[in-house]
Amino acid sequence: MGSIKITITDISKIDEIITNAKVSVYERQSDKLIDTKDTSAGYALFNLQVGLYYAEARAEQYNPSHEKFEIKANIRDSLTIKIKKVEKIPIFSIKPTEIYRGKTIVN
């Protein structure tokens, strides 16, 4: 067994830890979900069997991201996953128009 401490940060802000994220760990070969934890303590700690895994990070208003890692026997490791805020796309309202007797009328 080994362990990994996973921290989630905002890619656009240096060292800003995201404490409302969820981290899911999967086996790499089978894509089997092993466990999901939150980062309310500033990180998520997983104790795992030796093997190859990947972690997926999700947080509200952020794009999900994932990183691969390996667990080695009796090793405590750490991993930081950087995630990016969802970009807001400006919405423009268009007023409906109609043409009446050759003139454009804006409703």
Side-chain angles (χ1 to χ4, degrees):
M1 296 240 355
S3 65
I4 190 158
K5 176 181 162 182
I6 301 175
T7 305
I8 311 303
T9 62
D10 185 325
I11 198 166
S12 65
K13 299 177 182 175
I14 298 173
D15 296 328
E16 182 174 310
I17 295 173
I18 299 170
T19 57
N20 65 336
K22 298 275 187 210
V23 181
S24 298
V25 171
Y26 298 85
E27 286 183 349
R28 255 197 257 176
Q29 286 186 341
S30 67
D31 282 334
K32 178 184 173 189
L33 174 64
I34 303 301
D35 199 0
T36 298
K37 296 184 179 184
D38 66 44
T39 59
S40 57
Y43 60 89
L45 183 63
F46 295 88
N47 295 309
L48 301 166
Q49 298 294 326
V50 171
L52 301 175
Y53 299 89
Y54 69 91
E56 180 179 63
R58 294 181 172 273
E60 198 170 312
Q61 299 181 2
Y62 286 85
N63 292 313
S65 185
H66 66 277
E67 293 288 336
K68 296 176 183 178
F69 64 93
E70 181 177 359
I71 293 293
K72 296 180 181 177
N74 303 314
I75 301 291
R76 291 183 181 180
D77 208 348
S78 63
L79 173 68
T80 298
I81 302 176
K82 297 179 181 190
I83 58 178
K84 183 178 179 182
K85 273 206 171 207
V86 173
E87 292 183 33
K88 294 180 182 176
I89 299 171
I91 298 173
F92 301 99
S93 62
I94 299 171
K95 293 183 178 182
T97 61
E98 60 181 82
I99 298 176
Y100 179 75
R101 295 188 179 175
K103 295 182 180 180
T104 302
I105 301 169
V106 177
N107 297 330

